Coordinates of all heavy atoms in Angstrom, one line a residue:
M6 N -135.7 21.6 76.3 CA -136.0 20.5 75.3 C -136.4 21.2 74.1 O -136.1 20.7 72.9 CB -136.9 19.5 75.8 CG -136.6 18.7 77.0 SD -136.4 17.1 76.9 CE -137.8 16.4 76.3
A7 N -137.1 22.4 74.2 CA -137.5 23.0 73.0 C -136.4 23.6 72.1 O -136.6 23.6 70.9 CB -138.4 24.2 73.3
G8 N -135.3 23.7 72.6 CA -134.1 24.2 71.8 C -133.3 23.0 71.3 O -132.2 23.3 70.6
A9 N -133.7 21.8 71.4 CA -132.9 20.7 70.9 C -132.8 20.7 69.3 O -133.9 21.1 68.7 CB -133.5 19.4 71.4
P10 N -131.7 20.4 68.8 CA -131.7 20.5 67.4 C -132.3 19.5 66.6 O -132.3 19.4 65.2 CB -130.1 20.4 67.1 CG -129.7 19.6 68.3 CD -130.5 19.9 69.3
G11 N -133.0 18.5 67.2 CA -133.6 17.5 66.6 C -134.7 16.8 67.5 O -135.0 17.4 68.6
R12 N -135.2 15.6 67.1 CA -136.4 15.0 67.8 C -135.7 14.3 69.0 O -134.9 13.6 68.9 CB -137.1 14.0 66.9 CG -138.3 13.5 67.7 CD -139.1 12.6 66.7 NE -138.5 11.3 66.2 CZ -138.8 10.3 66.9 NH1 -139.6 10.2 67.9 NH2 -138.2 9.1 66.6
V13 N -136.2 14.7 70.2 CA -135.8 14.1 71.5 C -136.5 12.6 71.7 O -137.7 12.5 71.5 CB -136.1 15.0 72.7 CG1 -135.8 14.2 74.0 CG2 -135.4 16.2 72.6
V14 N -135.6 11.5 71.6 CA -136.2 10.3 71.8 C -135.9 9.6 73.2 O -136.2 8.4 73.4 CB -135.5 9.4 70.7 CG1 -136.0 9.9 69.3 CG2 -134.1 9.3 70.7
G15 N -135.3 10.2 74.2 CA -135.2 9.8 75.5 C -134.6 10.7 76.4 O -133.9 11.8 75.9
I16 N -134.6 10.4 77.6 CA -133.9 11.2 78.7 C -133.0 10.2 79.4 O -133.4 9.1 79.7 CB -134.9 11.7 79.8 CG1 -136.0 12.6 79.1 CG2 -134.2 12.5 80.9 CD1 -135.5 13.9 78.5
E17 N -131.8 10.6 79.6 CA -130.7 9.8 80.2 C -130.0 10.4 81.3 O -129.8 11.7 81.3 CB -129.7 9.4 79.1 CG -128.7 8.4 79.6 CD -127.8 7.8 78.6 OE1 -127.5 8.4 77.5 OE2 -127.3 6.7 78.6
A18 N -129.7 9.8 82.4 CA -128.9 10.2 83.5 C -127.5 9.5 83.4 O -127.5 8.2 83.2 CB -129.6 9.9 84.8
V19 N -126.5 10.1 83.5 CA -125.1 9.6 83.4 C -124.3 10.2 84.6 O -124.5 11.3 85.0 CB -124.4 9.8 82.1 CG1 -125.2 9.1 80.9 CG2 -124.2 11.4 81.7
W20 N -123.5 9.4 85.1 CA -122.5 9.8 86.2 C -121.4 10.6 85.6 O -120.9 10.3 84.5 CB -122.0 8.6 86.9 CG -122.8 7.9 87.9 CD1 -123.6 6.7 87.6 CD2 -123.4 8.4 89.1 NE1 -124.3 6.4 88.6 CE2 -124.2 7.4 89.7 CE3 -122.9 9.5 89.9 CZ2 -124.7 7.5 91.0 CZ3 -123.5 9.5 91.2 CH2 -124.4 8.6 91.6
D21 N -120.9 11.6 86.3 CA -119.7 12.3 86.0 C -119.1 12.7 87.4 O -119.8 12.4 88.5 CB -119.8 13.5 85.2 CG -118.7 14.0 84.5 OD1 -117.5 13.5 84.8 OD2 -118.7 14.9 83.6
G22 N -117.8 13.1 87.4 CA -117.3 13.5 88.7 C -115.9 14.2 88.5 O -115.4 14.2 87.4
D23 N -115.5 14.9 89.5 CA -114.3 15.6 89.6 C -113.8 15.8 91.0 O -114.5 15.4 92.0 CB -114.3 17.0 88.9 CG -115.4 18.0 89.4 OD1 -115.5 17.9 90.7 OD2 -116.0 18.7 88.6
T24 N -112.6 16.3 91.1 CA -112.1 16.5 92.6 C -112.7 17.5 93.4 O -112.7 17.5 94.5 CB -110.5 16.7 92.4 OG1 -110.4 17.9 91.6 CG2 -109.8 15.6 91.8
T25 N -113.4 18.4 92.7 CA -114.1 19.5 93.5 C -115.5 19.1 93.9 O -115.8 19.3 95.1 CB -114.3 20.7 92.6 OG1 -113.0 21.1 92.2 CG2 -114.9 21.9 93.3
H26 N -116.2 18.4 93.1 CA -117.6 18.1 93.3 C -117.9 16.6 93.7 O -119.0 16.3 94.0 CB -118.6 18.5 92.1 CG -118.5 19.9 91.8 ND1 -117.8 20.4 90.8 CD2 -119.1 21.0 92.5 CE1 -117.9 21.7 90.8 NE2 -118.7 22.1 91.8
D27 N -116.9 15.7 93.6 CA -117.0 14.4 93.9 C -117.9 13.8 92.7 O -117.9 14.4 91.7 CB -117.6 14.0 95.2 CG -117.6 12.6 95.6 OD1 -116.7 11.9 95.1 OD2 -118.3 12.2 96.5
W28 N -118.8 12.8 92.9 CA -119.6 12.3 92.0 C -121.0 13.2 91.8 O -121.4 13.6 92.9 CB -120.1 10.9 92.2 CG -119.0 9.9 92.0 CD1 -118.2 9.3 92.9 CD2 -118.5 9.4 90.8 NE1 -117.3 8.5 92.3 CE2 -117.5 8.5 90.9 CE3 -118.9 9.7 89.4 CZ2 -116.8 7.8 89.9 CZ3 -118.2 8.9 88.3 CH2 -117.2 8.0 88.7
F29 N -121.5 13.4 90.5 CA -122.7 14.0 90.3 C -123.3 13.3 89.1 O -122.7 12.5 88.4 CB -122.5 15.6 90.1 CG -121.5 15.9 89.1 CD1 -121.7 16.1 87.8 CD2 -120.1 16.2 89.5 CE1 -120.7 16.6 86.9 CE2 -119.1 16.5 88.6 CZ -119.4 16.7 87.3
V30 N -124.7 13.8 88.8 CA -125.3 13.1 87.7 C -125.7 14.2 86.6 O -126.1 15.4 87.2 CB -126.5 12.4 88.2 CG1 -127.3 11.8 87.0 CG2 -126.2 11.3 89.2
I31 N -125.6 13.9 85.4 CA -126.0 14.8 84.4 C -127.2 14.3 83.6 O -127.2 13.0 83.4 CB -124.9 15.0 83.3 CG1 -123.6 15.5 84.0 CG2 -125.3 15.9 82.2 CD1 -122.4 15.6 83.1
L32 N -128.2 15.1 83.5 CA -129.5 14.7 82.7 C -129.4 15.2 81.4 O -128.9 16.3 81.1 CB -130.6 15.3 83.5 CG -131.2 14.6 84.7 CD1 -132.3 15.3 85.2 CD2 -131.6 13.3 84.3
L33 N -129.5 14.2 80.4 CA -129.4 14.5 79.0 C -130.7 14.3 78.2 O -131.3 13.3 78.6 CB -128.2 13.6 78.3 CG -126.8 13.7 79.1 CD1 -126.1 12.6 78.6 CD2 -126.2 15.0 78.7
A34 N -130.9 15.0 77.2 CA -131.9 14.7 76.2 C -131.2 14.0 75.1 O -130.2 14.5 74.5 CB -132.6 16.0 75.7
V35 N -131.6 12.8 74.8 CA -131.0 12.0 73.6 C -131.8 12.4 72.4 O -133.0 12.3 72.4 CB -131.1 10.5 73.9 CG1 -130.5 9.8 72.7 CG2 -130.4 10.1 75.2
I36 N -131.0 12.8 71.4 CA -131.5 13.3 70.1 C -131.3 12.3 69.0 O -130.3 11.8 68.8 CB -131.0 14.6 69.8 CG1 -131.3 15.6 71.0 CG2 -131.5 15.2 68.5 CD1 -130.5 16.9 70.9
E37 N -132.4 12.1 68.2 CA -132.3 11.1 67.1 C -131.7 11.7 65.8 O -130.8 11.0 65.4 CB -133.7 10.6 66.8 CG -133.8 9.6 65.7 CD -135.2 9.1 65.4 OE1 -136.0 10.0 65.1 OE2 -135.3 8.0 65.6
D38 N -132.2 12.8 65.4 CA -131.7 13.4 64.0 C -131.5 14.8 64.0 O -132.5 15.5 64.2 CB -132.6 12.9 62.9 CG -132.1 13.1 61.6 OD1 -130.9 13.3 61.4 OD2 -133.0 13.4 60.6
P39 N -130.4 15.3 64.1 CA -129.1 14.6 64.1 C -128.8 14.0 65.4 O -129.2 14.4 66.5 CB -128.1 15.8 63.8 CG -128.6 17.0 64.5 CD -130.1 16.8 64.3
P40 N -128.1 12.8 65.3 CA -127.7 12.0 66.6 C -126.9 12.8 67.5 O -126.0 13.5 67.0 CB -127.2 10.7 66.0 CG -126.9 11.0 64.6 CD -127.6 12.2 64.2
G41 N -127.3 12.7 68.7 CA -126.5 13.4 69.8 C -127.2 13.5 71.1 O -128.2 12.8 71.3
E42 N -126.8 14.4 71.9 CA -127.5 14.7 73.2 C -127.3 16.1 73.5 O -126.4 16.8 72.9 CB -126.8 13.7 74.2 CG -125.4 13.9 74.3 CD -124.7 12.8 75.0 OE1 -125.1 11.6 75.0 OE2 -123.6 13.0 75.7
R43 N -128.3 16.6 74.4 CA -128.1 17.9 74.9 C -128.2 17.9 76.5 O -129.2 17.2 76.9 CB -129.4 18.8 74.3 CG -129.4 20.2 74.8 CD -130.6 20.9 74.3 NE -130.7 22.2 74.8 CZ -130.5 23.2 73.9 NH1 -130.4 23.1 72.7 NH2 -130.5 24.5 74.4
E44 N -127.3 18.6 77.1 CA -127.3 18.6 78.5 C -128.5 19.4 79.1 O -128.7 20.6 78.6 CB -126.1 19.1 79.0 CG -125.9 19.0 80.6 CD -124.5 19.4 81.1 OE1 -123.5 19.1 80.4 OE2 -124.5 20.0 82.2
L45 N -129.3 18.9 79.9 CA -130.5 19.5 80.6 C -130.2 19.9 81.9 O -130.6 21.2 82.4 CB -131.7 18.6 80.6 CG -132.1 18.0 79.4 CD1 -133.2 16.9 79.6 CD2 -132.7 19.0 78.3
A46 N -129.4 19.3 82.7 CA -129.1 19.7 84.1 C -127.9 18.9 84.6 O -127.8 17.8 84.3 CB -130.3 19.5 85.0
T47 N -127.2 19.4 85.6 CA -126.2 18.7 86.4 C -126.6 18.7 87.8 O -127.0 19.7 88.4 CB -124.9 19.4 86.2 OG1 -124.5 19.6 85.0 CG2 -123.9 18.7 87.1
V48 N -126.7 17.5 88.4 CA -127.4 17.4 89.8 C -126.2 17.1 90.7 O -125.7 15.9 90.8 CB -128.4 16.2 89.7 CG1 -128.9 16.1 91.2 CG2 -129.4 16.4 88.7
H49 N -125.7 18.1 91.4 CA -124.6 17.9 92.4 C -125.4 17.5 93.8 O -126.6 17.7 94.0 CB -124.0 19.2 92.7 CG -123.2 19.6 91.4 ND1 -121.9 19.1 91.2 CD2 -123.5 20.5 90.5 CE1 -121.4 19.6 90.0 NE2 -122.3 20.5 89.6
R50 N -124.6 16.9 94.6 CA -125.1 16.4 96.0 C -125.8 17.5 96.7 O -126.9 17.3 97.2 CB -124.0 15.9 96.9 CG -124.4 15.5 98.2 CD -123.2 15.1 99.1 NE -122.6 13.8 98.7 CZ -123.0 12.6 99.1 NH1 -124.1 12.5 99.9 NH2 -122.5 11.5 98.6
G51 N -125.3 18.7 96.7 CA -126.0 19.7 97.6 C -127.3 20.1 96.9 O -128.3 20.3 97.7
A52 N -127.5 20.2 95.7 CA -128.8 20.5 95.0 C -129.7 19.4 95.2 O -130.9 19.5 95.5 CB -128.6 20.7 93.6
A53 N -129.2 18.1 95.2 CA -130.1 16.9 95.5 C -130.7 16.9 96.8 O -131.9 16.7 97.1 CB -129.2 15.6 95.1
V54 N -129.8 17.2 97.9 CA -130.2 17.2 99.3 C -131.3 18.3 99.4 O -132.3 18.2 100.1 CB -129.1 17.4 100.2 CG1 -129.5 17.7 101.6 CG2 -128.2 16.2 100.1
R55 N -131.1 19.5 98.8 CA -132.1 20.6 98.8 C -133.4 20.2 98.3 O -134.5 20.5 98.8 CB -131.6 21.9 98.2 CG -130.6 22.6 99.1 CD -130.1 24.0 98.5 NE -129.6 24.0 97.1 CZ -128.3 23.7 96.8 NH1 -127.4 23.5 97.8 NH2 -127.9 23.8 95.5
L56 N -133.3 19.4 97.2 CA -134.6 18.9 96.6 C -135.3 17.9 97.4 O -136.5 17.8 97.6 CB -134.3 18.4 95.2 CG -135.5 17.7 94.4 CD1 -136.5 18.8 94.1 CD2 -135.0 17.0 93.1
L57 N -134.5 16.9 97.9 CA -135.0 15.7 98.5 C -135.1 15.7 100.1 O -135.8 14.9 100.6 CB -134.4 14.5 98.1 CG -134.3 14.2 96.6 CD1 -133.3 13.1 96.3 CD2 -135.6 13.9 96.0
G58 N -134.2 16.6 100.7 CA -134.2 16.6 102.1 C -133.0 15.7 102.5 O -132.3 15.2 101.6
E59 N -132.7 15.4 103.7 CA -131.6 14.7 104.1 C -131.7 13.2 103.9 O -130.7 12.5 104.3 CB -131.4 15.0 105.6 CG -130.9 16.4 105.9 CD -129.5 16.6 105.3 OE1 -128.7 15.7 105.3 OE2 -129.1 17.8 104.9
G60 N -132.8 12.6 103.6 CA -132.8 11.2 103.3 C -133.6 10.5 104.4 O -134.1 11.2 105.3
P61 N -133.7 9.3 104.3 CA -133.1 8.2 103.4 C -133.6 8.4 102.0 O -134.7 8.9 101.8 CB -133.5 6.8 104.0 CG -134.8 7.1 104.6 CD -134.7 8.6 105.2
Y62 N -132.8 8.0 101.1 CA -133.2 8.0 99.6 C -133.4 6.6 99.1 O -133.0 5.7 99.6 CB -132.0 8.7 98.8 CG -131.5 9.9 99.5 CD1 -130.2 9.9 100.1 CD2 -132.4 11.1 99.4 CE1 -129.7 11.2 100.7 CE2 -131.8 12.2 100.0 CZ -130.7 12.3 100.6 OH -130.2 13.5 101.0
A63 N -134.2 6.7 98.0 CA -134.5 5.5 97.2 C -133.3 4.8 96.7 O -133.2 3.6 96.5 CB -135.6 5.6 96.1
L64 N -132.3 5.6 96.3 CA -131.0 5.2 95.8 C -129.9 5.6 96.7 O -130.1 6.6 97.4 CB -130.8 5.8 94.4 CG -131.7 5.3 93.3 CD1 -131.7 6.1 92.1 CD2 -131.5 3.8 93.0
P65 N -128.8 5.0 96.7 CA -127.7 5.3 97.7 C -127.1 6.7 97.7 O -126.7 7.2 98.7 CB -126.6 4.3 97.4 CG -127.2 3.2 96.6 CD -128.4 3.8 95.9
H66 N -127.0 7.3 96.5 CA -126.5 8.7 96.4 C -127.5 9.6 96.1 O -128.4 9.4 95.3 CB -125.5 8.7 95.2 CG -124.6 9.8 95.3 ND1 -125.0 11.1 94.9 CD2 -123.3 9.8 95.5 CE1 -123.9 11.9 95.1 NE2 -122.9 11.2 95.3
P67 N -127.5 10.8 96.9 CA -128.6 11.8 96.7 C -128.7 12.3 95.3 O -129.8 12.6 94.8 CB -128.4 12.9 97.7 CG -127.0 12.6 98.2 CD -126.6 11.2 98.0
S68 N -127.6 12.4 94.6 CA -127.6 13.0 93.2 C -128.3 12.0 92.4 O -129.1 12.3 91.4 CB -126.2 13.1 92.7 OG -125.6 14.1 93.4
A69 N -128.2 10.7 92.6 CA -128.8 9.6 91.8 C -130.4 9.6 92.1 O -131.1 9.6 91.2 CB -128.2 8.2 92.1
A70 N -130.7 9.8 93.3 CA -132.1 9.8 93.6 C -132.8 11.0 93.1 O -134.0 10.8 92.5 CB -132.2 9.7 95.2
A71 N -132.2 12.1 93.1 CA -132.9 13.3 92.5 C -132.9 13.2 91.0 O -133.9 13.6 90.4 CB -132.1 14.6 93.0
A72 N -131.8 12.8 90.4 CA -131.8 12.7 89.0 C -132.8 11.7 88.4 O -133.4 11.9 87.5 CB -130.4 12.4 88.4
D73 N -133.0 10.5 89.2 CA -133.9 9.5 88.8 C -135.3 10.1 88.9 O -136.1 9.9 87.9 CB -133.8 8.4 89.8 CG -134.6 7.1 89.4 OD1 -134.2 6.5 88.4 OD2 -135.6 6.9 90.0
R74 N -135.6 10.8 90.0 CA -136.8 11.3 90.0 C -137.3 12.4 89.0 O -138.2 12.4 88.3 CB -137.1 12.1 91.4 CG -138.5 12.8 91.5 CD -138.6 13.6 92.8 NE -138.5 12.8 94.0 CZ -138.7 13.3 95.3 NH1 -138.9 14.6 95.4 NH2 -138.7 12.4 96.2
V75 N -136.4 13.4 88.8 CA -136.5 14.5 87.8 C -136.5 13.8 86.4 O -137.3 14.1 85.5 CB -135.5 15.5 88.0 CG1 -135.6 16.6 86.8 CG2 -135.7 16.2 89.3
G76 N -135.5 12.8 86.0 CA -135.5 12.3 84.8 C -136.8 11.5 84.4 O -137.2 11.6 83.3
R77 N -137.3 10.8 85.3 CA -138.6 10.0 85.0 C -139.6 10.9 84.8 O -140.5 10.7 83.9 CB -138.8 9.0 86.2 CG -137.8 7.9 86.3 CD -138.2 6.9 87.5 NE -137.1 5.9 87.6 CZ -137.1 4.9 86.8 NH1 -137.9 4.8 85.8 NH2 -136.2 4.0 86.9
A78 N -139.8 12.1 85.5 CA -140.8 13.0 85.3 C -140.7 13.6 84.0 O -141.7 13.8 83.3 CB -140.9 14.1 86.5
L79 N -139.6 14.0 83.6 CA -139.3 14.6 82.3 C -139.7 13.6 81.1 O -140.4 14.0 80.2 CB -137.9 15.1 82.0 CG -137.5 16.5 82.6 CD1 -136.0 16.6 82.4 CD2 -138.2 17.5 81.8
A80 N -139.2 12.4 81.3 CA -139.6 11.4 80.3 C -141.1 11.2 80.2 O -141.7 11.0 79.0 CB -138.7 10.1 80.6
D81 N -141.7 11.0 81.3 CA -143.2 10.9 81.3 C -143.8 12.1 80.6 O -144.8 11.8 79.8 CB -143.7 10.7 82.8 CG -143.4 9.3 83.4 OD1 -143.0 8.4 82.6 OD2 -143.6 9.2 84.6
R82 N -143.4 13.2 81.0 CA -144.0 14.4 80.5 C -143.9 14.5 78.9 O -144.8 14.9 78.2 CB -143.3 15.7 81.0 CG -143.6 17.0 80.3 CD -145.0 17.5 80.8 NE -145.1 18.9 80.4 CZ -145.7 19.2 79.2 NH1 -146.1 18.3 78.4 NH2 -145.9 20.4 78.8
F83 N -142.8 14.0 78.3 CA -142.6 14.2 76.9 C -142.8 12.8 76.2 O -142.6 12.7 75.0 CB -141.1 14.7 76.6 CG -141.1 16.1 77.0 CD1 -140.6 16.5 78.2 CD2 -141.5 17.1 76.2 CE1 -140.5 17.9 78.6 CE2 -141.5 18.5 76.5 CZ -141.0 18.8 77.8
G84 N -143.2 11.8 76.9 CA -143.5 10.5 76.3 C -142.4 9.8 75.7 O -142.5 9.2 74.6
V85 N -141.2 9.9 76.4 CA -140.0 9.2 75.9 C -139.5 8.3 77.0 O -139.9 8.5 78.2 CB -138.9 10.2 75.4 CG1 -139.5 11.0 74.2 CG2 -138.5 11.1 76.5
P86 N -138.7 7.3 76.7 CA -138.1 6.5 77.7 C -137.0 7.1 78.6 O -136.4 8.1 78.1 CB -137.4 5.4 76.9 CG -137.3 5.8 75.6 CD -138.3 7.0 75.3
F87 N -136.8 6.7 79.7 CA -135.9 7.2 80.7 C -134.8 6.1 80.9 O -135.2 4.9 81.0 CB -136.4 7.6 82.0 CG -135.3 7.9 83.1 CD1 -134.7 9.2 82.9 CD2 -135.1 7.1 84.2 CE1 -133.7 9.5 83.9 CE2 -134.2 7.5 85.1 CZ -133.5 8.6 84.9
H88 N -133.5 6.5 80.9 CA -132.5 5.5 81.0 C -131.5 6.0 82.1 O -130.9 7.1 81.9 CB -131.8 5.2 79.7 CG -130.7 4.2 79.9 ND1 -129.4 4.4 79.9 CD2 -130.8 2.8 79.9 CE1 -128.7 3.4 80.0 NE2 -129.5 2.3 80.0
F89 N -131.1 5.1 83.1 CA -130.1 5.5 84.0 C -129.3 4.2 84.2 O -129.7 3.2 84.9 CB -130.6 5.9 85.3 CG -129.6 6.6 86.3 CD1 -130.1 7.4 87.4 CD2 -128.2 6.5 86.1 CE1 -129.2 7.8 88.3 CE2 -127.4 7.1 86.9 CZ -127.8 7.8 88.0
G90 N -128.2 3.9 83.4 CA -127.4 2.7 83.4 C -126.9 2.2 84.6 O -126.7 0.9 84.8
S91 N -126.6 3.0 85.7 CA -126.1 2.6 86.8 C -126.4 3.5 88.0 O -125.7 4.2 88.6 CB -124.4 2.7 86.8 OG -123.8 2.2 88.0
P92 N -127.8 3.4 88.3 CA -128.2 4.4 89.3 C -127.7 4.0 90.8 O -127.7 5.0 91.6 CB -129.8 4.2 89.3 CG -130.0 2.8 88.8 CD -128.8 2.6 87.8
E93 N -127.3 2.8 91.0 CA -126.9 2.4 92.4 C -125.4 2.6 92.6 O -125.0 2.7 93.7 CB -127.3 0.9 92.7 CG -128.8 0.9 92.5 CD -129.4 0.2 93.6 OE1 -128.6 -0.4 94.6 OE2 -130.6 0.0 93.7
V94 N -124.5 2.6 91.6 CA -123.1 2.7 91.6 C -122.6 3.7 90.7 O -122.8 3.6 89.6 CB -122.5 1.3 91.4 CG1 -121.0 1.4 91.5 CG2 -123.0 0.4 92.3
A95 N -121.8 4.8 91.2 CA -121.2 5.8 90.4 C -120.2 5.2 89.5 O -119.3 4.4 90.0 CB -120.6 6.9 91.2
S96 N -120.4 5.3 88.2 CA -119.5 4.7 87.2 C -119.4 5.4 85.8 O -120.5 5.9 85.4 CB -119.9 3.3 87.0 OG -119.2 2.7 86.0
Y97 N -118.2 5.5 85.4 CA -118.1 6.1 84.0 C -118.5 5.0 83.0 O -118.8 5.5 81.8 CB -116.7 6.6 83.7 CG -116.3 7.8 84.5 CD1 -115.3 7.8 85.4 CD2 -117.0 9.0 84.2 CE1 -114.9 8.9 86.1 CE2 -116.6 10.2 84.9 CZ -115.5 10.1 85.8 OH -115.2 11.3 86.5
G98 N -118.5 3.8 83.3 CA -118.7 2.8 82.4 C -120.1 2.2 82.2 O -120.2 1.0 81.6
A99 N -121.1 2.8 82.7 CA -122.4 2.3 82.6 C -122.9 2.3 81.2 O -122.5 3.2 80.4 CB -123.3 3.2 83.6
P100 N -123.8 1.3 81.0 CA -124.4 1.3 79.6 C -125.1 2.6 79.3 O -125.8 3.1 80.1 CB -125.4 0.1 79.6 CG -125.2 -0.6 80.9 CD -124.4 0.3 81.8
R101 N -125.1 3.0 78.0 CA -125.8 4.2 77.6 C -126.9 3.9 76.7 O -127.0 2.9 75.9 CB -124.7 5.1 76.8 CG -123.6 5.6 77.6 CD -123.8 6.6 78.6 NE -124.5 7.8 78.0 CZ -123.9 8.9 77.5 NH1 -122.6 9.0 77.4 NH2 -124.7 9.8 77.0
L102 N -127.8 4.8 76.6 CA -129.0 4.8 75.7 C -128.6 5.5 74.5 O -128.0 6.5 74.4 CB -130.2 5.6 76.4 CG -131.4 5.8 75.5 CD1 -132.1 4.4 75.4 CD2 -132.4 6.7 76.2
R103 N -128.9 4.9 73.3 CA -128.7 5.4 72.0 C -130.0 5.3 71.2 O -130.7 4.3 71.3 CB -127.6 4.5 71.3 CG -126.3 4.5 72.0 CD -125.6 5.9 71.8 NE -124.3 5.8 72.6 CZ -123.9 6.8 73.4 NH1 -124.7 7.9 73.4 NH2 -122.8 6.8 74.0
P104 N -130.2 6.4 70.3 CA -131.4 6.5 69.6 C -131.3 5.3 68.5 O -130.4 4.8 68.2 CB -131.4 7.8 68.9 CG -130.0 8.4 69.2 CD -129.4 7.6 70.2

């Protein structure tokens, strides 16, 4: 976060996916000025299971559960809001946080 080009105003988790990794979650720092975002981490299923164990999880997908936990901790640490538009269902169309 220290290397962000502007003031960080939020932490956001968004779904992404591909044919190799299936669905995964990207944690982003949302930046106010200049407007934009900076990728903080990509949470793949394997990393999520290593962090959380085999489950059960608070959310259906281990990547979502891990990203939710880490994203909330980061947001609390830096005093900014956390947003995850679709934590229960993997989707490219979830609502996004904007500064």
Side-chain angles (χ1 to χ4, degrees):
M6 300 242 306
R12 187 169 74 91
V13 175
V14 294
I16 303 295
E17 183 170 30
V19 296
W20 287 102
D21 201 353
D23 60 36
T24 56
T25 302
H26 298 103
D27 195 26
W28 286 103
F29 51 90
V30 179
I31 300 173
L32 283 173
L33 303 166
V35 179
I36 301 163
E37 181 179 58
D38 188 24
E42 55 197 31
R43 179 184 181 115
E44 187 173 323
L45 300 173
T47 301
V48 185
H49 294 279
R50 176 183 289 273
V54 170
R55 284 191 298 277
L56 174 69
L57 301 173
E59 288 295 330
Y62 308 110
L64 294 168
H66 195 288
S68 295
D73 188 76
R74 178 188 290 181
V75 172
R77 287 181 189 284
L79 275 172
D81 287 348
R82 167 78 171 90
F83 290 97
V85 296
F87 174 70
H88 181 261
F89 195 166
S91 181
E93 303 228 355
V94 178
S96 171
Y97 290 117
R101 298 284 311 268
L102 178 67
R103 297 289 179 222

